[in-house]
Amino acid sequence: MQDAHQGRGVASALLEHIAAVARERGIRRFAAEVLPANTKMIKVFTDAGYTQKRSFEDGVVRLEFDLEPTDRSLAVQYAREQRAEARSVQRLLAPGAVAVIGTGRAPGGVGRSILGNIRDGGFTGRLYAVNGALPEGQKELDGVPAFRSVRDIDGPVDLAVVAVPAERVPEVVAECGEHDVQGLVVVSAGYAESGPGGRERQRALVRQARRHGMRIIGPNSFGVINTSPEVRLNASLAPDMPRAAASACSPSPAPSASRCCPGCTGAAAASPVSPACPRSSPPATAPTSPATTSCSTGTRTPTPMSP
């Protein structure tokens, strides 16, 4: 393993996967031989929580343990997953740089409104406006650095708020993937709430985001908010910051189906038809402060997107 990846829990995760595959194939016992000086690897086996037997033979430490899960090994696994999920949404809830893509030419559109809410909310990070129809030579929009594409931004972008028509979203997501954007908030409408065709577009959107390793809130989302003094992010359609420390919400396709997705950690609430949340695991707290999750109980009326 490369030095840069040591100490990040990769070995512990691999051990869990090996144990799961072994049990599926009828293997019930694991044996490992480790040099005594490799204390970190010995600690990985010890901390895994399995019932083990240790011996010293021919200058190596021999560890043997049953692969049947124990209360302790399950607790270790759940805790690691919780920490991993919390870290994975950190750049959604506490981004260092945000780009609003689809800041139309005319004031009052969805993208321009969200851009203004982020700016006026006192966001502590870097903010960019992206407008594909930006006139040549224009460098600012509403006092915010402006670009024609997220790829033109010189520097990392942790979070992209996508407010373009649904047919343009795949192109925008591809550009975000090329620029190594970490998370997406898609406020664009025209997905599951519009019928079977929209539902398939929604599934394709989530698959595309996952291929690029991006976390996604939405589509048809109201946005994400973090009122922590260290962040002050109001990347939403709400003109004023609520009291909740950190929240993100997408409306469900129908009131009867509305629920918060249990796999989203921190404060992510997704539509039940969206596979944006990879698994159901214990909820994690927001990276910077305790989180409050909220869900819409109705369908948002789609707002026209400016070109």
Side-chain angles (χ1 to χ4, degrees), residues 191-192 195-207:
Y191 289 89
R199 182 170 302 214
E200 183 52 41
R201 281 194 298 273
Q202 182 163 314
R203 289 170 175 159
L205 168 62
V206 174
R207 289 195 296 268

Side-chain angles (χ1 to χ4, degrees), residues 187-231:
V187 300
S188 308
Y191 289 89
E193 83 285 352
S194 64
R199 182 170 302 214
E200 183 52 41
R201 281 194 298 273
Q202 182 163 314
R203 289 170 175 159
L205 168 62
V206 174
R207 289 195 296 268
Q208 183 186 16
R210 284 183 171 177
R211 283 198 301 270
H212 291 289
M214 291 184 286
R215 281 282 186 160
I216 180 171
I217 296 174
N220 200 21
S221 170
F222 285 108
V224 59
I225 294 172
N226 188 343
T227 63
S228 161
E230 296 84 3
V231 181

Side-chain angles (χ1 to χ4, degrees), residues 21-189:
V21 172
R23 287 193 298 269
E24 290 175 359
R25 286 159 173 72
I27 300 172
R28 301 301 177 193
R29 194 165 183 80
F30 186 91
E33 293 183 349
V34 187
L35 292 174
N38 194 352
T39 56
K40 289 184 177 180
M41 196 66 240
I42 294 174
K43 189 174 187 299
V44 167
F45 291 119
T46 302
D47 292 348
Y50 296 102
T51 302
Q52 64 175 259
K53 177 183 176 182
R54 184 185 305 190
S55 59
F56 186 79
E57 299 176 8
D58 299 326
V60 298
V61 177
R62 182 175 177 83
L63 295 156
E64 297 182 12
F65 51 87
D66 295 329
L67 294 177
E68 287 301 319
T70 65
D71 290 342
R72 185 175 170 224
S73 71
L74 291 174
V76 169
Q77 179 179 341
Y78 292 152
R80 184 189 59 77
E81 289 182 353
Q82 182 178 351
R83 291 192 299 272
E85 293 286 354
R87 284 193 294 268
S88 71
V89 298
Q90 181 173 4
R91 291 187 180 180
L92 282 173
L93 296 178
V98 175
V100 182
I101 304 173
T103 50
R105 290 166 292 185
V110 172
R112 288 283 286 271
S113 297
I114 294 176
L115 181 71
N117 292 342
I118 298 174
R119 180 199 60 201
D120 298 341
F123 177 53
T124 60
R126 298 178 301 280
L127 177 61
Y128 306 104
V130 177
N131 181 345
L134 200 68
E136 187 70 31
Q138 183 173 344
K139 302 298 183 182
E140 287 191 356
L141 189 64
D142 294 343
V144 175
F147 301 86
R148 288 188 173 184
S149 168
V150 69
R151 291 176 298 191
D152 298 331
I153 297 174
D154 184 16
V157 174
D158 297 314
L159 178 66
V161 181
V162 181
V164 301
E167 61 269 18
R168 286 195 52 215
V169 170
E171 170 194 345
V172 168
V173 173
E175 292 180 359
C176 289
E178 292 175 15
H179 196 67
D180 198 27
V181 174
Q182 301 296 308
L184 298 172
V185 174
V186 181
V187 300
S188 308

Side-chain angles (χ1 to χ4, degrees), residues 217 221-225 242 244-252 258-261 264 266-271 291-297:
I217 296 174
S221 170
F222 285 108
V224 59
I225 294 172
S247 62
C249 202
S250 298
S252 300
S258 179
R259 66 174 175 85
C260 291
C261 175
C264 290
S271 153
T292 300
T293 304
S294 60
C295 264
S296 167
T297 56

